[in-house]
Amino acid sequence: MDYGQVVAESWKRQTLLNVVRLRYADAPVFLDVASIINSHTVGGSGTAQATLPSGSSPDLFAVGGTGAWSNTPTVTYQPLLGDRFTRSLLQPIPPVSVFQLLQGGWPASLVFPTVIASVNGLRNASSGVAADPGFDELTDVLSRIQRAGNIGIETQRARTAAVSWSSYASPEP
């Protein structure tokens, strides 16, 4: 069993659910994986039987056996509290996580209006103000790309650039 994939899927569902909760002014709840325990059980039994031949039963010898194997994973979650909860609540959702939701099968028509406030100056609907037409068009285009199965994720390390600025103070009269 791929525990990492199961935990990642759990995190994606939790994140999307909390975004929807926040959008509708409901309190978010964050759970963290406390432990993953896996137990294996192997068992077996065997039987052998010999019978004397008789007119009604031609069997002379019978052999039987059984075996069993079980895999029982247990994932324990605990609620996030204190500073960890506050950081989880106040940090924006990284763009990589948004695209992981899309690649994981969550519809773009649900993810973008729920999670994204703006993209390159195109605003989403907020506080009774309609979304920019370009934002809705972007969501539609991403939905078509997703239905065609052409969404992929590639991350690149950002290049660091030095940024400088200066302030200008007007001379006092």
Side-chain angles (χ1 to χ4, degrees), residues 8 22 26 29 43 45 54-55 66 74 81-82 90 136 144 146 162 165:
L22 287 172
D26 196 6
V29 176
S45 66
S54 67
T66 60
T74 303
L81 303 170
L90 297 178
D136 292 335
R144 286 196 307 266
Q146 185 181 32
W165 64 87

Side-chain angles (χ1 to χ4, degrees), residues 4 8 14 24 26 36 57 60 75 81 107 115 123 132 140 161 171:
Q14 180 183 181
Y24 292 102
D26 196 6
I36 300 175
S57 174
L60 297 175
V75 179
L81 303 170
V115 175
R123 288 174 305 139
D132 290 337
D140 291 340

